[in-house]
Amino acid sequence: VQLQASGGGLVKTGDSLRLSCEASGATSNLKQIAWFRQAPGKQREGVSCVDFSDGKTYYSESVKGRFTISRDNAVNTVILQMDGLNPEDTAVYYCATDRTPFPCQVVVSRPLAPQALDYWGKGTQVTVSS
């Protein structure tokens, strides 16, 4: 499985960005894809996750109400729509998944070591200026 994250950039407070995570390879058995972020000097944290089995979406408290995760089945892509961005959202954003099912509600509620999931996309930088 390969994941390709894209869509980052430099924006101002209050602006929006749309991140994409395109999955390729052996994707038929994937059950969840999650977005994470890591700011300098901080642990990697989960921000959002979508569970393909039931379509449920999950968000960390810090982004709930501002970010929206969705899936485009036709192109094996998971989108993270980020609205109302603020400087605290500045980080490198990664998408990730695993060869076995994992609990979305857990990955968005606590920091996660990168080795906890098998597949990671290359990060995309999001910078929000004040």
Side-chain angles (χ1 to χ4, degrees):
V1 174
Q2 294 82 42
L3 301 175
Q4 180 67 46
S6 62
L10 173 61
V11 297
K12 297 180 180 179
T13 296
D15 285 351
S16 299
L17 277 176
R18 181 180 170 94
L19 303 185
S20 296
C21 176
E22 182 178 359
S24 60
T27 61
S28 60
N29 292 326
L30 296 181
K31 302 302 182 186
Q32 298 88 10
I33 286 182
W35 282 96
F36 298 82
R37 67 186 182 187
Q38 189 165 17
K42 293 188 177 181
Q43 290 180 287
R44 189 167 299 188
E45 61 173 354
V47 296
S48 188
C49 184
V50 56
D51 192 319
F52 302 154
S53 63
D54 56 13
K56 287 186 176 179
T57 57
Y58 300 81
Y59 302 92
S60 67
E61 287 300 317
S62 61
V63 307
K64 193 174 294 183
R66 301 186 297 121
F67 290 12
T68 304
I69 192 170
S70 61
R71 182 188 184 192
D72 186 338
N73 292 336
V75 291
N76 274 344
T77 297
V78 171
I79 304 295
L80 185 68
Q81 177 67 38
M82 306 188 297
D83 300 319
L85 287 163
N86 60 64
E88 289 69 41
D89 296 314
T90 295
V92 178
Y93 284 71
Y94 303 87
C95 57
T97 189
D98 198 85
R99 67 189 71 190
T100 59
F102 60 91
C104 273
Q105 62 269 36
V106 173
V107 301
V108 300
S109 63
R110 65 188 65 173
L112 185 78
Q115 58 266 29
L117 297 179
D118 291 327
Y119 307 112
W120 291 83
K122 185 178 179 181
T124 184
Q125 177 71 47
V126 172
T127 303
V128 185
S129 63
S130 57

